[in-house]
């Protein structure tokens, strides 16, 4: 540790020698060569000649070729972009200076710190010259955030894990599950028959919820959020000071915040939404509405109703909220209204949707949160009758990438097959929640009762 501190104090003076030592170690197949490859990139070398040599070493590694002084010299000789003055003598000198068996971990760390520091200084200088305009300023801000994250999180690759480590971590997870008082491992939907299949909405999963317009996609997602909010509200009231508040996040591109609030109040109060729109409530309904408003104001739900939202905007807002809150569920209403990056204007819509779905899956994994993305089905489903009218995966609009990226694909469908008569239910209809794809579990159909007048979904026991 003392040696490490000395090296850090003399960082600027010793940087070149550290770079030489690391390249020398690679050329002589040091026992920690894989640590070097996993941790360092060419940009981490400040000296341009060392950077070219290390880049050529990585090329040889990728091609599965032997790495030593002669192979590196030969590679540089045959690739004009890597040539610099006296490269043969310099590489042979580096190779011959290897005369130790010490650990390189300290050197690797110092070089990485120096690289990050240097890149941050260059990043700071670039900020002085930046020019924003009213059209592309959001894209420019996103690029800056992306560049900053690439600097601070830069690694060549994720380290592989042995089966022993994987099994140990899995055993730890099982022990945690064994000691849990609650049964679900994911965010609860509030419907036991759905949660039996999914065990809750699992962190890291992308869930596609699709149906034709007017079936109740937004309504059921709001029911999911209300049900989960009631549980997390209890946690937030008793959480420790060092624990983040658990919250739910919705991106609504089709409805504004007032409309979302109106629908949540109707679901929670069970007062017909047309009554709240017209203001024709009686005293009992008014009291029920006021009680719901009081409850909702304390629920840990966040809503963003930005129209014309891009996937980059969404990514930035998730990042901002996650810095202070523990996001337990993200709802996107709906996927086909999201826009891709402006720089991707030359791609067709199917490619743009593919990019959006991949990014949503990436967000789910990066922030370890389930993402429910509402999606539209193609019109061809309306041409079918009876059992054949049930949605299938190919009914997803721009379906290829969406289906591939999703961990769960669920459809909503009015149960009107087999002679079933929804007209006997008044304002309510029987709806099938169809789990058509489930990457990590079983599929199935759950029947729910949907009260169209309030937007409330009830479980059919």
């Amino acid at each position: 540790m003392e040696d490490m501190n000395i090296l850090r104090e003399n960082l600027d003076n010793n940087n070149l020698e550290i770079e030489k030592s690391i390249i020398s170690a690679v050329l002589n197949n040091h026992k920690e060569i894989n640590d070097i490859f996993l941790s360092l990139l060419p940009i981490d070398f400040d000296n341009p000649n060392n950077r070219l040599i290390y880049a050529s070493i990585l090329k040889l590694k990728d091609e599965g070729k032997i790495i030593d002084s002669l192979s590196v010299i030969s590679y540089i000789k045959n690739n004009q972009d890597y040539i610099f003055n006296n490269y043969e003598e310099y590489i042979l000198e580096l190779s011959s200076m290897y005369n130790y068996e010490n650990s390189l971990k300290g050197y690797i760390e110092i070089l990485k710190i120096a690289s990050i520091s240097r890149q941050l200084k260059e990043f700071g200088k670039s900020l002085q010259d930046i020019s924003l305009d009213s059209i592309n300023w959001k894209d420019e801000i996103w690029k800056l955030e992306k560049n900053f994250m690439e600097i601070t999180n830069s690694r060549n690759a994720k380290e592989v894990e042995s089966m022993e480590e994987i099994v140990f971590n899995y055993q730890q997870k099982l022990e945690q599950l064994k000691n849990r008082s609650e049964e679900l491992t994911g965010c609860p939907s509030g419907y036991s028959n759905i949660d039996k299949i999914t065990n809750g909405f699992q962190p890291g999963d992308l869930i596609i919820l699709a149906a034709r317009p007017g079936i109740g996609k937004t309504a059921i997602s709001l029911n999911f959020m209300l049900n989960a909010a009631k549980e997390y509200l209890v946690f937030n009231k008793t959480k420790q000071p060092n624990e983040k508040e658990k919250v739910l996040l919705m991106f609504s591109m089709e409805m504004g915040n007032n409309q979302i609030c109106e629908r949540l109040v109707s679901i929670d109060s069970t007062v017909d939404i047309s009554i709240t729109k017209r203001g024709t409530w009686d005293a009992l309904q008014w009291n029920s509405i006021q009680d719901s408003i009081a409850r909702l104001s304390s629920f840990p739900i966040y809503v963003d109703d930005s129209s014309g939202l891009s996937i980059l905007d969404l990514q930035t807002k998730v990042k901002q909220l996650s810095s202070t809150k523990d996001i337990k569920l993200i709802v996107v209403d709906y996927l086909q209204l999201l826009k891709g990056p402006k720089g991707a204007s030359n791609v067709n819509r199917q490619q743009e949707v593919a990019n959006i779905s991949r990014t949503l899956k990436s967000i789910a994994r990066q922030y370890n949160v389930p993402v429910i993305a509402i999606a539209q089905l193609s019109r061809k489903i309306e041409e079918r009758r009876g059992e054949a009218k049930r949605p299938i995966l190919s009914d997803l609009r721009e379906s290829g990438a969406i289906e591939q990226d999703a961990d769960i694909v669920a459809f909503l469908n009015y149960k009107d097959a087999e002679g079933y008569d929804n007209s006997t239910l008044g304002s309510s209809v029987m709806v099938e929640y169809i789990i058509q794809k489930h990457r990590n579990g079983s599929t199935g159909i759950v029947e729910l009762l949907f009260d169209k007048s309030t937007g409330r979904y009830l479980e059919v026991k």
Side-chain angles (χ1 to χ4, degrees):
M1 196 66 186
E2 185 178 343
D3 291 340
M4 175 72 70
N5 291 332
I6 293 173
L7 284 170
R8 283 175 176 163
E9 289 172 5
N10 297 288
L11 184 61
D12 293 336
N13 296 330
N14 293 338
N15 232 27
L16 179 58
E17 293 305 313
I18 290 174
E19 290 183 9
K20 288 181 177 180
S21 295
I22 287 176
I23 292 177
S24 178
V26 173
L27 294 175
N28 288 280
N29 196 28
H30 188 277
K31 60 185 178 181
E32 292 170 2
I33 188 172
N34 289 325
D35 291 328
I36 296 172
F37 290 147
L38 284 170
S39 302
L40 298 178
L41 298 165
I43 197 172
D44 294 324
F45 291 80
D46 188 29
N47 182 280
N49 293 345
N50 291 339
R51 188 179 298 178
L52 287 170
I53 293 171
Y54 188 70
S56 65
I57 287 171
L58 291 182
K59 289 288 186 181
L60 289 170
K61 174 180 173 291
D62 291 341
E63 294 172 8
K65 296 180 179 177
I66 294 173
I67 298 173
D68 57 22
S69 57
L70 296 180
S71 63
V72 174
I73 289 171
S74 176
Y75 184 87
I76 292 177
K77 184 177 182 180
N78 293 319
N79 292 272
Q80 294 295 316
D81 292 339
Y82 293 84
I83 290 179
F84 57 90
N85 291 335
N86 301 318
Y87 67 91
E88 294 186 33
E89 294 87 343
Y90 185 64
I91 292 170
L92 291 173
E93 177 190 339
L94 290 181
S95 179
S96 64
M97 70 177 280
Y98 178 81
N99 59 3
Y100 58 90
E101 285 294 330
N102 297 332
S103 172
L104 288 175
K105 285 183 169 56
Y107 281 176
I108 294 170
E109 182 184 358
I110 290 169
L111 200 60
K112 197 68 183 179
I113 292 171
S115 172
I116 292 172
S117 176
R118 184 173 63 253
Q119 291 178 68
L120 285 175
K121 288 177 182 176
E122 293 172 359
F123 180 75
K125 291 178 182 177
S126 70
L127 291 178
Q128 297 174 2
D129 301 325
I130 191 167
S131 177
L132 301 177
D133 58 58
S134 59
I135 299 175
N136 296 320
W137 71 271
K138 287 185 178 180
D139 285 333
E140 290 300 321
I141 293 294
W142 181 83
K143 288 176 185 177
L144 290 173
E145 288 184 342
K146 184 171 178 285
N147 291 340
F148 180 77
M149 293 299 291
E150 286 176 352
I151 293 171
T152 55
N153 294 327
S154 62
R155 281 179 67 84
N156 204 359
K158 181 182 182 294
E159 293 186 29
V160 297
E161 292 181 289
S162 69
M163 200 63 211
E164 181 181 9
E165 292 171 308
I166 294 169
V167 170
F168 175 79
N169 291 332
Y170 181 67
Q171 180 64 30
Q172 295 293 104
K173 179 182 177 181
L174 292 181
E175 291 295 333
Q176 291 175 358
L177 295 178
K178 179 182 174 183
N179 297 324
R180 286 172 64 101
S181 57
E182 64 269 26
E183 294 181 2
L184 298 182
T185 60
C187 176
S189 71
Y191 303 99
S192 60
N193 289 334
I194 293 177
D195 288 337
K196 280 179 184 176
I197 299 175
T198 63
N199 205 13
F201 300 123
Q202 296 299 309
D205 276 4
L206 173 60
I207 300 114
I208 300 297
L209 175 59
R212 286 297 293 151
I215 302 294
K217 303 183 296 297
T218 301
I220 197 170
S221 68
L222 291 175
N223 277 265
F224 288 154
M225 295 190 77
L226 272 178
N227 296 336
K230 292 171 185 176
E231 291 211 14
Y232 294 132
L233 181 63
V234 175
F235 169 86
N236 291 339
K237 287 180 177 178
T238 59
K239 73 179 183 66
Q240 299 300 312
N242 60 336
E243 291 181 304
K244 288 183 178 180
E245 179 187 7
K246 294 184 178 182
V247 302
L248 307 148
L249 174 60
M250 182 176 192
F251 292 95
S252 175
M253 287 151 277
E254 200 168 36
M255 289 188 291
N257 285 341
N258 286 335
Q259 291 174 292
I260 293 292
C261 185
E262 185 176 61
R263 296 185 70 166
L264 287 172
V265 168
S266 184
I267 293 168
D268 186 68
S269 67
T270 69
V271 175
D272 191 318
I273 195 167
S274 64
I275 291 175
T276 61
K277 283 180 180 293
R278 294 194 305 266
T280 56
W281 47 72
D282 57 30
L284 187 62
Q285 291 167 334
W286 173 251
N287 288 336
S288 183
I289 290 171
Q290 291 303 306
D291 288 344
S292 287
I293 289 173
R295 279 193 298 273
L296 287 170
S297 64
S298 64
F299 279 8
I301 296 175
Y302 287 73
V303 180
D304 184 291
D305 67 347
S306 305
S307 59
L309 191 72
S310 76
I311 188 63
L312 304 185
D313 293 330
L314 187 148
Q315 198 169 22
T316 299
K317 291 179 180 184
V318 170
K319 176 168 161 266
Q320 289 172 339
L321 187 61
S322 67
S323 65
T324 57
K325 309 292 182 184
D326 180 10
I327 306 175
K328 305 306 292 184
L329 178 67
I330 297 172
V331 173
V332 179
D333 187 16
Y334 58 93
L335 186 149
Q336 281 96 348
L337 285 180
L338 273 174
K339 296 180 179 178
K342 285 188 175 67
S345 58
N346 59 332
V347 302
N348 60 42
R349 179 56 183 166
Q350 192 162 354
Q351 291 172 316
E352 187 178 23
V353 170
N355 179 280
I356 289 168
S357 69
R358 276 194 299 269
T359 306
L360 287 175
K361 175 59 183 174
S362 175
I363 289 170
R365 289 200 62 186
Q366 181 180 354
Y367 297 97
N368 198 36
V369 57
V371 175
I372 297 178
I374 295 172
Q376 294 281 19
L377 293 177
S378 65
R379 287 192 178 90
K380 63 183 179 182
I381 190 175
E382 296 173 354
E383 301 170 4
R384 308 199 295 262
R385 294 291 179 268
E387 287 283 351
K389 198 171 183 180
R390 274 187 182 148
I392 55 177
L393 293 173
S394 60
D395 290 326
L396 281 168
R397 282 171 57 184
E398 298 120 350
S399 64
I402 300 175
E403 178 187 336
Q404 179 181 333
D405 295 328
D407 297 281
I408 292 177
V409 177
F411 299 115
L412 292 180
N413 182 53
Y414 285 166
K415 185 179 178 182
D416 56 4
E418 301 174 358
Y420 190 88
D421 186 7
N422 263 318
S423 64
T424 61
L425 301 175
S427 66
S428 297
V429 291
M430 195 68 74
V431 173
E432 295 175 323
Y433 184 87
I434 306 166
I435 300 178
Q436 184 76 243
K437 174 189 176 182
H438 190 187
R439 180 170 283 150
N440 301 308
S442 59
T443 58
I445 299 176
V446 175
E447 292 184 358
L448 300 170
L449 190 65
F450 177 38
D451 184 353
K452 287 185 169 183
S453 66
T454 62
R456 189 182 181 94
Y457 273 85
L458 300 171
E459 195 155 35
V460 178
K461 300 294 185 181

